[in-house]
Amino acid sequence: MSNLIIRKVAVLGAGVMGAQIAAHLINAKVPVLLFDLPAKEGPKNGIALKAIENLKKLSPAPFGVKDDAQYIQPANYDDDIEKLAECDVVIEAIAERMDWKHDLYKKVAPHIGANAIFATNTSGLSITALSEGFSDELKARFCGVHFFNPPRYMHLVELIPTATTRPEILDQLETFLTSVVGKGVVRAKDTPNFIANRVGVFSILAVIAEAGKFGLRFDEVDDLTGARLGRAKSATFRTADVVGLDTMAHVIKTMQDTLPDDPFLPVYETPAVLAELVKKGALGQKSGAGFYRKEGKAIKVLDPKTGEYVDGGGKADEIVGRILKRPAAERLKLLRETQHPQAQFLWSIFRDVFHYIAVHLESIADNARDVDLAIRWGFGWNEGPFEGWQTAGWKQVAEWVQQDIAEGKALANTPLPSWVLEGAVADKGGVHTAEGSWSPATKTFVPRSSLDVYKKQVFRAPLVGETGADPKTYGKTLFETDAVRAWVDDRAGEDDVLIVSFKSKMNTIGPAVIEGLTKAIELAEKEYQGLVVWQPTSLKLGTPGGPFSAGANLEEAMPAFMMGGAKGIGPFVKSFQQGMLRVKYANVPVVAAISGIALGGGCELALHSAKRVAHIESYLGLVEVGVGLVPAGGGLKEAALRAAEAASQVGATNDLLKFVQKSFENAAMAKVSSSALDARAMGYLKPSDTIVFNVFELLDVAKKEARALAAAGYRAPLRATQVPVAGRSAISTIKASLVNMRDGRFISDHDFLIASRIAEAVCGGDVEAGSLVDEEWLLQLERRAFVELLGTQKTQERIMGMLQTGKPVRN
């Protein structure tokens, strides 16, 4: 397959989706032209410029770093249409109106480059119908590419070909979307609403129908259909409010208008409560009211009987909550047999979705895997609907569903397809097997895509029933303890880099992890090119990513504190620091493969590594202030070293304060990066560190970076023995601003004490400005401050509060 070099992308339409797609392409360093209509007043690019400005205010943030908005190039169809010829991909993202899209296509088609891919970001319109009127040559380069909102965070992109789309176009676009943009690509058939919205919206409609049947409140339903089922916390009605009730009504209308022969057509009727809310302009979160309304600090929920908002708080009944904690097969059996309305409701919504996906699989997707991944990645379910069915016992559940259909309890009277009940699927106990996932059209189990881009994914998104590699046991284990596993990928050519993975909760770092990490470094120095620290939890089901490490394991340190008081913790802190130094001065490169959170000690481990490879959604920070402590694993020491290095590069060692100021603020305010790009701006990642966009490629890239460092003759840095520090004058300057904050009651007395200790550590202590110190001096300052603070009552209150509630105590 030839390379597709994407030099520039045009996005047509600066609305909510178009602008955010453009922003995420900029995150991925892809130059973007953002087109919209010429403004009637002011600058011609006014509409696009306003959209770009608005991107900076959105939450969650579309950009990894807000200032990158400057790189989107605004454009309008009058002045800039000829620039389309410079673009290798053109993505149309205007409103969901077939006539508007066709009008735009007539205008832009003559200007699209001869080899450019043309794609529409429609969420449900027919791609084939949209391509009517194109030349045969343009039709061959046209397809659907459906991003989910918000595009930066939602892993799913649906790729929808027409009968005339060239296969190599799809392969090239899938490769680009997977590796460069970091998405999970699912190929959908050109049917209304494709896969995720078709199944996801049906699921919501089924919930609304069954909730009405069993007389359940909206907040009660949300408690039942969210985290308890391994789905998004926003569950059903909160999700609808976030998406926008007008948007949801539009998607439902698409199903009404385009699926007249669907046996589930009556279910596609717009629910009366939804129609009424839209009519009133209560469109959900964007209008301030929908199924829920915020009144002051209280969240009120709509009572559909009265149309009034009432106090929330509806919950799952205790007996139903207990049932939901049972294993899958037992759970479904108990829900079906328990007469409690909540249990009957839950069984009904499981049955309705199983029925629907079985009936529609052949028409909407190539195979069952694409349905499951689309729902997991697009709707935030921890397991797809086919996976849930298979886990609960394929044959038994199929019989129950068929029985309900026969008894008129289901939402449609169409029977299950024959392949569900007999033949290969029934014999294998489900749709996912070692050979692949079931395709009704070919009557075979279809294997995963073999595109070259997936060779970079050592572990692909796992599915129940598949025999994919388990990251916790894969490869050859060299040694394993209760705290760590050291292993290699034992495929030929891949076994030259040692990998160490933590086994502690949230991958926290205690003495046992330090010991295992040290042992792994010793082994790597003897026999391997390098060492990669990578956590299997970065492949979490549902939404991929993290945690790399939540920091030092405070619980593991508590026995030493109980026996010896604050001073008893000294040896724990020193061993942690020595572990970090062992990472830094290893004779082979240690590469930290980061995704998700890298906080406190986890951030310090990253700082001491030879190189960092970070997934775009990585959140780094020194957050010890939250438990009343200072970073003491060498994080502040590294800040002082980096400040000295930066100052010496510009000959400014006489003004070190401005070089440590940012690091001081990061630690004193417990700032956490909003992305890997932000972590680079904050100084936690270096410009030379690598940022990857697809978390499934993280391990492969980290191993390659370790090999590259080794091949370039890697040597550990020389130990710093003469580090110029900012000294007591800088400490006094920082403390002066802290006094103002304390006296203005912006911070407490204890916050003042902690921040003062951080200032002393990053500035090198009570010495003259420019004094030369070594690493051990800086580490001692950290240790001393840590132990001193641990001895205070207010820090102990913060630690106990965090351990008991998981939330910081303000005192």
Side-chain angles (χ1 to χ4, degrees):
M1 185 178 76
S2 61
N3 279 343
L4 174 67
I5 304 294
I6 308 287
R7 291 159 300 186
K8 189 178 285 186
V9 171
V11 177
L12 312 181
V16 172
M17 281 302 288
Q20 290 198 66
I21 290 167
H24 191 56
L25 289 168
I26 289 295
N27 288 335
K29 299 293 180 280
V30 179
V32 178
L33 279 166
L34 181 60
F35 277 85
D36 213 299
L37 297 167
K40 290 176 181 172
E41 295 177 3
K44 289 279 280 289
N45 287 332
I47 296 173
L49 284 165
K50 186 178 178 184
I52 294 166
E53 199 57 35
N54 190 50
L55 285 169
K56 299 179 192 175
K57 303 170 193 167
L58 287 183
S59 179
F63 291 106
V65 175
K66 194 188 297 183
D67 290 348
D68 283 355
Q70 65 181 305
Y71 296 113
I72 297 181
Q73 192 178 338
N76 70 81
Y77 301 115
D78 280 4
D79 300 340
D80 305 304
I81 201 161
E82 290 177 1
K83 292 179 182 174
L84 287 173
E86 305 166 9
C87 300
D88 301 296
V89 176
V90 177
I91 300 172
E92 170 270 307
I94 68 167
E96 293 285 272
R97 283 271 301 265
M98 187 79 75
D99 54 340
W100 291 359
K101 289 180 189 281
H102 276 147
D103 287 346
L104 178 61
Y105 295 171
K106 283 175 196 163
K107 187 185 293 183
V108 301
H111 302 279
I112 293 173
N115 297 307
I117 296 172
F118 189 23
T120 172
N121 183 58
T122 178
S123 59
L125 297 177
S126 165
I127 310 301
T128 302
L130 286 170
S131 71
E132 286 170 8
F134 288 0
S135 66
D136 289 347
E137 201 274 330
L138 185 55
K139 272 186 182 177
R141 293 184 277 123
F142 184 71
C143 64
V145 54
H146 180 210
F147 286 83
F148 276 63
N149 192 22
R152 171 183 159 188
Y153 302 94
M154 297 303 289
H155 192 59
L156 177 65
V157 169
E158 290 176 313
L159 198 53
I160 311 102
T162 69
T164 54
T165 308
R166 282 208 313 268
E168 63 269 26
I169 291 285
L170 295 167
D171 290 349
Q172 289 173 336
L173 197 51
E174 182 166 351
T175 297
F176 170 71
L177 290 166
T178 300
S179 204
V180 177
V181 190
K183 297 303 172 190
V185 176
V186 164
R187 296 201 187 185
K189 293 189 178 180
D190 188 12
T191 54
N193 292 340
F194 315 126
I195 298 173
N197 277 344
R198 179 77 174 273
V199 176
V201 171
F202 170 81
S203 172
I204 291 171
L205 289 170
V207 165
I208 294 172
E210 302 291 2
K213 195 185 297 181
F214 291 101
L216 305 184
R217 292 165 47 121
F218 298 138
D219 52 346
E220 192 179 357
V221 168
D222 275 355
D223 188 57
L224 287 163
T225 59
R228 291 178 189 271
L229 297 188
R231 300 180 185 177
K233 285 181 184 175
S234 54
T236 304
F237 296 106
R238 282 189 195 282
T239 296
D241 274 0
V242 170
V243 168
L245 302 192
D246 52 342
T247 303
M248 193 174 153
H250 173 80
V251 175
I252 294 169
K253 183 78 165 58
T254 301
M255 293 165 84
Q256 289 169 18
D257 294 347
T258 55
L259 296 165
D261 301 323
D262 192 317
F264 291 87
L265 182 64
V267 186
Y268 303 155
E269 185 178 342
T270 306
V273 63
L274 179 64
E276 186 61 28
L277 285 167
V278 172
K279 186 177 167 187
K280 286 181 184 173
L283 306 180
Q285 193 168 280
K286 60 188 168 189
S287 67
F291 289 108
Y292 294 90
R293 185 172 74 191
K294 193 169 184 183
E295 296 181 8
K297 290 188 176 179
I299 304 287
K300 302 277 185 130
V301 63
L302 182 70
D303 180 340
K305 291 173 187 164
T306 65
E308 302 295 321
Y309 289 91
V310 298
D311 290 339
K315 295 277 184 190
D317 193 86
E318 189 180 340
I319 187 172
V320 176
R322 285 204 302 268
I323 290 172
L324 291 176
K325 291 177 180 175
R326 307 302 300 165
E330 188 182 347
R331 180 169 67 235
L332 277 191
K333 182 175 188 293
L334 288 169
L335 289 174
R336 186 170 184 269
E337 293 173 355
T338 302
Q339 291 310 302
H340 193 292
Q342 290 183 354
Q344 288 293 296
F345 159 76
L346 286 169
W347 159 250
S348 299
I349 65 170
F350 279 120
R351 174 203 64 216
D352 295 340
V353 171
F354 295 158
H355 186 191
Y356 191 81
I357 58 176
V359 168
H360 287 300
L361 173 58
E362 184 167 357
S363 66
I364 65 173
D366 177 56
N367 60 73
R369 174 178 52 251
D370 289 342
V371 172
D372 278 346
L373 292 179
I375 292 298
R376 268 167 43 180
W377 293 339
F379 279 78
W381 294 18
N382 278 359
E383 65 176 12
F386 278 120
E387 289 183 288
W389 182 349
Q390 187 162 333
T391 305
W394 183 269
K395 285 184 180 178
Q396 178 62 79
V397 173
E399 287 168 12
W400 288 337
V401 173
Q402 190 74 317
Q403 187 179 330
D404 276 16
I405 296 167
E407 292 174 4
K409 295 178 181 176
L411 293 178
N413 60 11
T414 190
L416 291 172
S418 58
W419 61 262
V420 172
L421 300 156
E422 57 197 40
V425 171
D427 293 343
K428 298 264 187 180
V431 290
H432 303 306
T433 68
E435 301 104 88
S437 295
W438 181 251
S439 167
T442 62
K443 297 183 172 55
T444 59
F445 294 98
V446 178
R448 297 261 182 156
S449 167
S450 58
L451 283 179
D452 282 350
V453 70
Y454 294 114
K455 290 176 183 171
K456 291 192 268 186
Q457 299 190 8
V458 185
F459 306 101
R460 294 172 73 170
L463 280 167
V464 164
E466 278 191 340
T467 51
D470 179 350
K472 292 184 178 177
T473 58
Y474 176 80
K476 180 182 176 185
T477 300
L478 300 175
F479 71 85
E480 188 165 9
T481 69
D482 289 341
V484 304
R485 175 179 176 241
W487 57 283
V488 290
D489 182 340
D490 54 357
R491 293 173 297 165
E494 293 290 337
D495 58 357
D496 57 343
V497 174
L498 183 60
I499 303 156
V500 66
S501 303
F502 302 169
K503 295 164 66 178
S504 50
K505 185 180 178 183
M506 298 290 284
N507 301 320
T508 52
I509 305 170
V513 168
I514 292 287
E515 187 181 329
L517 183 57
T518 303
K519 184 177 175 182
I521 291 169
E522 288 168 359
L523 183 57
E525 287 174 335
K526 287 176 189 169
E527 300 178 32
Y528 295 94
Q529 298 278 308
L531 175 69
V532 169
V533 182
W534 174 84
Q535 315 297 9
T537 44
S538 60
L539 303 182
K540 177 186 165 191
L541 292 178
T543 49
F548 175 71
S549 173
N553 189 333
L554 286 176
E555 288 186 71
E556 216 172 310
M558 289 314 285
F561 175 70
M562 299 304 287
M563 289 177 66
K567 289 185 179 175
I569 293 290
F572 172 87
V573 179
K574 186 159 189 176
S575 72
F576 197 104
Q577 292 178 337
Q578 293 307 309
M580 295 302 102
L581 291 178
R582 189 70 181 89
V583 168
K584 181 174 182 177
Y585 295 113
N587 292 315
V588 291
V590 177
V591 176
I594 306 161
S595 74
I597 58 172
L599 303 178
C603 180
E604 288 171 316
L605 172 57
L607 289 171
H608 285 85
S609 298
K611 187 157 193 175
R612 288 139 294 277
V613 176
H615 179 233
I616 177 70
E617 298 307 333
S618 293
Y619 313 109
L620 288 80
L622 298 172
V623 296
E624 286 80 357
V625 170
V627 287
L629 294 167
V630 299
L636 301 179
K637 175 263 299 180
E638 283 297 301
L641 293 180
R642 290 183 182 192
E645 184 182 353
S648 69
Q649 285 174 356
V650 293
T653 50
N654 59 343
D655 185 18
L656 280 161
L657 176 58
K658 70 179 182 183
F659 294 94
V660 298
Q661 186 74 39
K662 183 163 70 172
S663 295
F664 163 75
E665 289 173 4
N666 287 344
M669 298 171 70
K671 288 184 180 178
V672 176
S673 71
S674 59
S675 67
L677 296 169
D678 188 36
R680 183 181 276 164
M682 291 172 71
Y684 288 133
L685 297 183
K686 291 184 175 181
S688 56
D689 288 332
T690 302
I691 295 173
V692 299
F693 276 68
N694 196 314
V695 76
F696 293 101
E697 295 181 3
L698 183 66
L699 178 57
D700 182 71
V701 174
K703 287 166 63 182
K704 284 173 177 162
E705 293 286 6
R707 283 191 198 106
L709 287 168
Y714 177 78
R715 299 288 302 175
L718 297 170
R719 289 186 183 255
T721 56
Q722 296 199 329
V723 184
V725 292
R728 65 172 71 93
S729 58
I731 296 168
S732 298
T733 303
I734 292 172
K735 279 189 176 180
S737 64
L738 291 173
V739 166
N740 292 335
M741 293 178 73
R742 181 193 62 194
D743 293 349
R745 308 317 297 163
F746 295 107
I747 61 174
S748 69
D749 289 343
H750 199 54
D751 290 328
F752 174 82
L753 176 63
I754 300 163
S756 298
R757 293 295 174 268
I758 291 171
E760 288 160 11
V762 295
C763 294
D766 187 17
V767 295
E768 290 293 331
S771 294
L772 301 177
V773 303
D774 62 12
E775 258 183 308
E776 182 50 39
W777 171 270
L778 294 167
L779 288 171
Q780 271 185 342
L781 290 172
E782 287 186 2
R783 273 201 312 275
R784 195 182 308 141
F786 188 95
V787 171
E788 179 195 323
L789 287 166
L790 190 57
T792 66
Q793 184 181 342
K794 289 191 180 294
T795 283
Q796 291 168 22
E797 287 169 2
R798 290 192 184 190
I799 292 171
M800 293 312 296
M802 181 64 77
L803 290 175
Q804 288 167 4
T805 68
K807 294 177 182 175
V809 173
R810 303 309 305 161
N811 58 3

